[in-house]
Amino acid sequence: DAGVIQSPRHEVTEMGQEVTLRCKPISGHDYLFWYRQTMMRGLELLIYFNNNVPIDDSGMPEDRFSAKMPNASFSTLKIQPSEPRDSAVYFCASSYSLQAETQYFGPGTRLLVL
Amino acid sequence: EDQVTQSPEALRLQEGESSSLNCSYTVSGLRGLFWYRQDPGKGPEFLFTLYSAGEEKEKERLKATLTKKESFLHITAPKPEDSATYLCAVQPYTSGTYKYIFGTGTRLKVLA
């Protein structure tokens, strides 16, 4: 398996622009997680899905952030409008079990908002 | 509030100098505790899962242990290739969610 795939790997945009991050989970994994990582706050869970349905979005910082999972093999995280404080590395991860289980992380998208 | 604290923030070791990393946690109930390794520019990579106090797991030079309040990642005779950031995460028992809470990590540098 190719592992979790994220695109783009790097994104530079200007404040106010819309940003869309993409993720393809590992085939057969029922859970998909979006995280944000910064030096100050570490790795923070934004939202996770189970069988394409959002389960916990309590970590989404504000209404500018939205996430969708239209099918089992694709998810997007959208920021509109983007702000400089959104600059971070965004990771997608997937797992296959309902129990406490390992997650497999993608390589991340490094976002810089100018 | 569920919380995870890792210490130290950074650690420099000479090759062969054993040490331990700490992960203290406060949760209402623990489903599992996880250790990950993260190399620069990459996503975290799974190392261990621990479920109950007293449990231990080993992998090469690494050994993870768990008590009711904390976990340790022991590194025996480290090598430069062990240099990375080590992340601890907990999955608390919370109704309706299986969220993970990560610590901010320990950056380990092993000098040759």
Side-chain angles (χ1 to χ4, degrees), chain B residues 54-76:
Chain B
E55 190 174 359
E56 299 182 352
K57 294 275 180 73
E58 285 190 68
K59 180 180 180 180
E60 296 180 356
R61 295 178 293 281
L62 300 177
K63 178 178 166 181
T65 62
L66 180 65
T67 73
K68 289 185 177 180
K69 295 182 180 180
E70 58 192 350
S71 176
F72 290 93
L73 185 65
H74 307 278
I75 303 177
T76 302

PDB file of all heavy atoms in Angstrom, chain B residues 54-76:
ATOM      1  N   GLY B  54       1.631  -1.040  34.122  1.00  0.00           N
ATOM      2  CA  GLY B  54       2.494  -2.205  34.267  1.00  0.00           C
ATOM      3  C   GLY B  54       2.935  -2.803  32.937  1.00  0.00           C
ATOM      4  O   GLY B  54       3.856  -3.616  32.875  1.00  0.00           O
ATOM      5  N   GLU B  55       2.291  -2.387  31.887  1.00  0.00           N
ATOM      6  CA  GLU B  55       2.613  -2.926  30.572  1.00  0.00           C
ATOM      7  C   GLU B  55       3.928  -2.343  30.062  1.00  0.00           C
ATOM      8  O   GLU B  55       4.244  -1.181  30.322  1.00  0.00           O
ATOM      9  CB  GLU B  55       1.491  -2.606  29.592  1.00  0.00           C
ATOM     10  CG  GLU B  55       1.606  -3.310  28.257  1.00  0.00           C
ATOM     11  CD  GLU B  55       0.381  -3.074  27.378  1.00  0.00           C
ATOM     12  OE1 GLU B  55      -0.553  -2.381  27.834  1.00  0.00           O
ATOM     13  OE2 GLU B  55       0.380  -3.577  26.239  1.00  0.00           O
ATOM     14  N   GLU B  56       4.702  -3.150  29.351  1.00  0.00           N
ATOM     15  CA  GLU B  56       5.960  -2.726  28.761  1.00  0.00           C
ATOM     16  C   GLU B  56       6.034  -3.251  27.328  1.00  0.00           C
ATOM     17  O   GLU B  56       5.550  -4.339  27.035  1.00  0.00           O
ATOM     18  CB  GLU B  56       7.163  -3.258  29.555  1.00  0.00           C
ATOM     19  CG  GLU B  56       7.229  -2.783  30.989  1.00  0.00           C
ATOM     20  CD  GLU B  56       8.468  -3.294  31.711  1.00  0.00           C
ATOM     21  OE1 GLU B  56       9.201  -4.136  31.154  1.00  0.00           O
ATOM     22  OE2 GLU B  56       8.699  -2.847  32.853  1.00  0.00           O
ATOM     23  N   LYS B  57       6.655  -2.450  26.460  1.00  0.00           N
ATOM     24  CA  LYS B  57       6.878  -2.871  25.081  1.00  0.00           C
ATOM     25  C   LYS B  57       8.315  -2.509  24.700  1.00  0.00           C
ATOM     26  O   LYS B  57       8.823  -1.479  25.140  1.00  0.00           O
ATOM     27  CB  LYS B  57       5.915  -2.154  24.122  1.00  0.00           C
ATOM     28  CG  LYS B  57       4.446  -2.515  24.292  1.00  0.00           C
ATOM     29  CD  LYS B  57       4.088  -3.745  23.546  1.00  0.00           C
ATOM     30  CE  LYS B  57       2.612  -4.110  23.705  1.00  0.00           C
ATOM     31  NZ  LYS B  57       1.705  -3.204  22.959  1.00  0.00           N
ATOM     32  N   GLU B  58       8.948  -3.329  23.884  1.00  0.00           N
ATOM     33  CA  GLU B  58      10.325  -3.079  23.469  1.00  0.00           C
ATOM     34  C   GLU B  58      10.474  -3.202  21.969  1.00  0.00           C
ATOM     35  O   GLU B  58       9.791  -4.008  21.320  1.00  0.00           O
ATOM     36  CB  GLU B  58      11.283  -4.098  24.123  1.00  0.00           C
ATOM     37  CG  GLU B  58      11.565  -3.858  25.573  1.00  0.00           C
ATOM     38  CD  GLU B  58      12.689  -4.740  26.094  1.00  0.00           C
ATOM     39  OE1 GLU B  58      13.850  -4.549  25.681  1.00  0.00           O
ATOM     40  OE2 GLU B  58      12.392  -5.629  26.906  1.00  0.00           O
ATOM     41  N   LYS B  59      11.390  -2.379  21.464  1.00  0.00           N
ATOM     42  CA  LYS B  59      11.716  -2.439  20.043  1.00  0.00           C
ATOM     43  C   LYS B  59      13.137  -1.916  19.882  1.00  0.00           C
ATOM     44  O   LYS B  59      13.385  -0.735  20.099  1.00  0.00           O
ATOM     45  CB  LYS B  59      10.746  -1.592  19.225  1.00  0.00           C
ATOM     46  CG  LYS B  59      11.001  -1.584  17.744  1.00  0.00           C
ATOM     47  CD  LYS B  59       9.964  -0.713  17.044  1.00  0.00           C
ATOM     48  CE  LYS B  59      10.190  -0.669  15.545  1.00  0.00           C
ATOM     49  NZ  LYS B  59       9.187   0.179  14.875  1.00  0.00           N
ATOM     50  N   GLU B  60      14.025  -2.804  19.556  1.00  0.00           N
ATOM     51  CA  GLU B  60      15.447  -2.464  19.393  1.00  0.00           C
ATOM     52  C   GLU B  60      15.958  -1.766  20.651  1.00  0.00           C
ATOM     53  O   GLU B  60      15.934  -2.329  21.738  1.00  0.00           O
ATOM     54  CB  GLU B  60      15.642  -1.625  18.132  1.00  0.00           C
ATOM     55  CG  GLU B  60      15.287  -2.393  16.868  1.00  0.00           C
ATOM     56  CD  GLU B  60      15.476  -1.569  15.600  1.00  0.00           C
ATOM     57  OE1 GLU B  60      15.804  -0.372  15.710  1.00  0.00           O
ATOM     58  OE2 GLU B  60      15.297  -2.133  14.509  1.00  0.00           O
ATOM     59  N   ARG B  61      16.399  -0.521  20.546  1.00  0.00           N
ATOM     60  CA  ARG B  61      16.980   0.177  21.697  1.00  0.00           C
ATOM     61  C   ARG B  61      15.926   0.908  22.525  1.00  0.00           C
ATOM     62  O   ARG B  61      16.268   1.592  23.487  1.00  0.00           O
ATOM     63  CB  ARG B  61      18.030   1.178  21.199  1.00  0.00           C
ATOM     64  CG  ARG B  61      19.227   0.501  20.535  1.00  0.00           C
ATOM     65  CD  ARG B  61      20.213   1.543  20.006  1.00  0.00           C
ATOM     66  NE  ARG B  61      19.643   2.299  18.897  1.00  0.00           N
ATOM     67  CZ  ARG B  61      19.561   1.852  17.662  1.00  0.00           C
ATOM     68  NH1 ARG B  61      20.010   0.644  17.365  1.00  0.00           N
ATOM     69  NH2 ARG B  61      19.046   2.605  16.698  1.00  0.00           N
ATOM     70  N   LEU B  62      14.674   0.794  22.160  1.00  0.00           N
ATOM     71  CA  LEU B  62      13.600   1.520  22.827  1.00  0.00           C
ATOM     72  C   LEU B  62      12.740   0.589  23.674  1.00  0.00           C
ATOM     73  O   LEU B  62      12.420  -0.522  23.261  1.00  0.00           O
ATOM     74  CB  LEU B  62      12.708   2.213  21.798  1.00  0.00           C
ATOM     75  CG  LEU B  62      13.372   3.233  20.881  1.00  0.00           C
ATOM     76  CD1 LEU B  62      12.356   3.771  19.885  1.00  0.00           C
ATOM     77  CD2 LEU B  62      13.979   4.367  21.682  1.00  0.00           C
ATOM     78  N   LYS B  63      12.348   1.111  24.830  1.00  0.00           N
ATOM     79  CA  LYS B  63      11.441   0.380  25.707  1.00  0.00           C
ATOM     80  C   LYS B  63      10.462   1.363  26.310  1.00  0.00           C
ATOM     81  O   LYS B  63      10.873   2.369  26.892  1.00  0.00           O
ATOM     82  CB  LYS B  63      12.205  -0.327  26.804  1.00  0.00           C
ATOM     83  CG  LYS B  63      11.333  -1.081  27.805  1.00  0.00           C
ATOM     84  CD  LYS B  63      12.230  -1.778  28.813  1.00  0.00           C
ATOM     85  CE  LYS B  63      11.496  -2.253  30.019  1.00  0.00           C
ATOM     86  NZ  LYS B  63      12.394  -2.914  30.995  1.00  0.00           N
ATOM     87  N   ALA B  64       9.169   1.085  26.167  1.00  0.00           N
ATOM     88  CA  ALA B  64       8.129   1.953  26.706  1.00  0.00           C
ATOM     89  C   ALA B  64       7.461   1.281  27.890  1.00  0.00           C
ATOM     90  O   ALA B  64       7.169   0.083  27.852  1.00  0.00           O
ATOM     91  CB  ALA B  64       7.098   2.271  25.631  1.00  0.00           C
ATOM     92  N   THR B  65       7.227   2.070  28.935  1.00  0.00           N
ATOM     93  CA  THR B  65       6.560   1.569  30.132  1.00  0.00           C
ATOM     94  C   THR B  65       5.398   2.493  30.485  1.00  0.00           C
ATOM     95  O   THR B  65       5.368   3.655  30.074  1.00  0.00           O
ATOM     96  CB  THR B  65       7.533   1.475  31.318  1.00  0.00           C
ATOM     97  OG1 THR B  65       8.016   2.793  31.626  1.00  0.00           O
ATOM     98  CG2 THR B  65       8.711   0.570  30.992  1.00  0.00           C
ATOM     99  N   LEU B  66       4.451   1.951  31.267  1.00  0.00           N
ATOM    100  CA  LEU B  66       3.247   2.722  31.588  1.00  0.00           C
ATOM    101  C   LEU B  66       2.864   2.522  33.048  1.00  0.00           C
ATOM    102  O   LEU B  66       2.846   1.402  33.558  1.00  0.00           O
ATOM    103  CB  LEU B  66       2.080   2.280  30.696  1.00  0.00           C
ATOM    104  CG  LEU B  66       0.748   2.988  30.902  1.00  0.00           C
ATOM    105  CD1 LEU B  66       0.864   4.466  30.530  1.00  0.00           C
ATOM    106  CD2 LEU B  66      -0.353   2.317  30.086  1.00  0.00           C
ATOM    107  N   THR B  67       2.575   3.660  33.712  1.00  0.00           N
ATOM    108  CA  THR B  67       1.967   3.633  35.044  1.00  0.00           C
ATOM    109  C   THR B  67       0.617   4.337  34.937  1.00  0.00           C
ATOM    110  O   THR B  67       0.214   4.747  33.846  1.00  0.00           O
ATOM    111  CB  THR B  67       2.844   4.340  36.095  1.00  0.00           C
ATOM    112  OG1 THR B  67       2.780   5.756  35.870  1.00  0.00           O
ATOM    113  CG2 THR B  67       4.283   3.869  36.016  1.00  0.00           C
ATOM    114  N   LYS B  68      -0.049   4.523  36.071  1.00  0.00           N
ATOM    115  CA  LYS B  68      -1.371   5.159  36.041  1.00  0.00           C
ATOM    116  C   LYS B  68      -1.291   6.664  35.785  1.00  0.00           C
ATOM    117  O   LYS B  68      -2.309   7.295  35.499  1.00  0.00           O
ATOM    118  CB  LYS B  68      -2.104   4.897  37.343  1.00  0.00           C
ATOM    119  CG  LYS B  68      -2.546   3.455  37.493  1.00  0.00           C
ATOM    120  CD  LYS B  68      -3.377   3.250  38.741  1.00  0.00           C
ATOM    121  CE  LYS B  68      -3.863   1.805  38.830  1.00  0.00           C
ATOM    122  NZ  LYS B  68      -4.683   1.574  40.048  1.00  0.00           N
ATOM    123  N   LYS B  69      -0.076   7.221  35.868  1.00  0.00           N
ATOM    124  CA  LYS B  69       0.044   8.671  35.700  1.00  0.00           C
ATOM    125  C   LYS B  69       1.007   9.072  34.599  1.00  0.00           C
ATOM    126  O   LYS B  69       0.982  10.220  34.147  1.00  0.00           O
ATOM    127  CB  LYS B  69       0.522   9.315  37.002  1.00  0.00           C
ATOM    128  CG  LYS B  69      -0.433   9.212  38.145  1.00  0.00           C
ATOM    129  CD  LYS B  69       0.117   9.938  39.370  1.00  0.00           C
ATOM    130  CE  LYS B  69      -0.834   9.858  40.554  1.00  0.00           C
ATOM    131  NZ  LYS B  69      -0.300  10.572  41.740  1.00  0.00           N
ATOM    132  N   GLU B  70       1.901   8.143  34.199  1.00  0.00           N
ATOM    133  CA  GLU B  70       2.917   8.537  33.244  1.00  0.00           C
ATOM    134  C   GLU B  70       3.455   7.349  32.472  1.00  0.00           C
ATOM    135  O   GLU B  70       3.250   6.185  32.845  1.00  0.00           O
ATOM    136  CB  GLU B  70       4.068   9.271  33.940  1.00  0.00           C
ATOM    137  CG  GLU B  70       4.737   8.469  35.037  1.00  0.00           C
ATOM    138  CD  GLU B  70       5.676   9.331  35.890  1.00  0.00           C
ATOM    139  OE1 GLU B  70       5.964  10.497  35.522  1.00  0.00           O
ATOM    140  OE2 GLU B  70       6.134   8.814  36.922  1.00  0.00           O
ATOM    141  N   SER B  71       4.151   7.688  31.402  1.00  0.00           N
ATOM    142  CA  SER B  71       4.827   6.677  30.598  1.00  0.00           C
ATOM    143  C   SER B  71       6.257   7.141  30.377  1.00  0.00           C
ATOM    144  O   SER B  71       6.529   8.342  30.313  1.00  0.00           O
ATOM    145  CB  SER B  71       4.124   6.503  29.248  1.00  0.00           C
ATOM    146  OG  SER B  71       4.815   5.586  28.425  1.00  0.00           O
ATOM    147  N   PHE B  72       7.145   6.173  30.284  1.00  0.00           N
ATOM    148  CA  PHE B  72       8.537   6.478  29.996  1.00  0.00           C
ATOM    149  C   PHE B  72       8.952   5.773  28.710  1.00  0.00           C
ATOM    150  O   PHE B  72       8.540   4.634  28.451  1.00  0.00           O
ATOM    151  CB  PHE B  72       9.449   6.018  31.140  1.00  0.00           C
ATOM    152  CG  PHE B  72       9.301   6.814  32.398  1.00  0.00           C
ATOM    153  CD1 PHE B  72       8.423   6.395  33.403  1.00  0.00           C
ATOM    154  CD2 PHE B  72       9.999   7.987  32.588  1.00  0.00           C
ATOM    155  CE1 PHE B  72       8.277   7.127  34.567  1.00  0.00           C
ATOM    156  CE2 PHE B  72       9.858   8.729  33.748  1.00  0.00           C
ATOM    157  CZ  PHE B  72       8.989   8.295  34.736  1.00  0.00           C
ATOM    158  N   LEU B  73       9.764   6.476  27.959  1.00  0.00           N
ATOM    159  CA  LEU B  73      10.404   5.867  26.797  1.00  0.00           C
ATOM    160  C   LEU B  73      11.896   5.804  27.106  1.00  0.00           C
ATOM    161  O   LEU B  73      12.561   6.828  27.158  1.00  0.00           O
ATOM    162  CB  LEU B  73      10.144   6.675  25.522  1.00  0.00           C
ATOM    163  CG  LEU B  73      10.677   6.063  24.232  1.00  0.00           C
ATOM    164  CD1 LEU B  73       9.962   4.754  23.915  1.00  0.00           C
ATOM    165  CD2 LEU B  73      10.519   7.047  23.074  1.00  0.00           C
ATOM    166  N   HIS B  74      12.363   4.602  27.372  1.00  0.00           N
ATOM    167  CA  HIS B  74      13.763   4.405  27.718  1.00  0.00           C
ATOM    168  C   HIS B  74      14.563   4.122  26.447  1.00  0.00           C
ATOM    169  O   HIS B  74      14.166   3.277  25.640  1.00  0.00           O
ATOM    170  CB  HIS B  74      13.910   3.230  28.691  1.00  0.00           C
ATOM    171  CG  HIS B  74      13.044   3.337  29.908  1.00  0.00           C
ATOM    172  ND1 HIS B  74      13.387   4.081  31.011  1.00  0.00           N
ATOM    173  CD2 HIS B  74      11.827   2.775  30.176  1.00  0.00           C
ATOM    174  CE1 HIS B  74      12.431   3.981  31.922  1.00  0.00           C
ATOM    175  NE2 HIS B  74      11.470   3.201  31.452  1.00  0.00           N
ATOM    176  N   ILE B  75      15.668   4.839  26.317  1.00  0.00           N
ATOM    177  CA  ILE B  75      16.531   4.646  25.151  1.00  0.00           C
ATOM    178  C   ILE B  75      17.877   4.124  25.656  1.00  0.00           C
ATOM    179  O   ILE B  75      18.587   4.837  26.390  1.00  0.00           O
ATOM    180  CB  ILE B  75      16.712   5.953  24.368  1.00  0.00           C
ATOM    181  CG1 ILE B  75      15.349   6.491  23.967  1.00  0.00           C
ATOM    182  CG2 ILE B  75      17.587   5.720  23.154  1.00  0.00           C
ATOM    183  CD1 ILE B  75      15.396   7.817  23.242  1.00  0.00           C
ATOM    184  N   THR B  76      18.202   2.915  25.258  1.00  0.00           N
ATOM    185  CA  THR B  76      19.432   2.259  25.724  1.00  0.00           C
ATOM    186  C   THR B  76      20.506   2.338  24.649  1.00  0.00           C
ATOM    187  O   THR B  76      20.267   1.965  23.499  1.00  0.00           O
ATOM    188  CB  THR B  76      19.155   0.791  26.066  1.00  0.00           C
ATOM    189  OG1 THR B  76      18.136   0.721  27.073  1.00  0.00           O
ATOM    190  CG2 THR B  76      20.421   0.103  26.583  1.00  0.00           C
TER     191      THR B  76
END
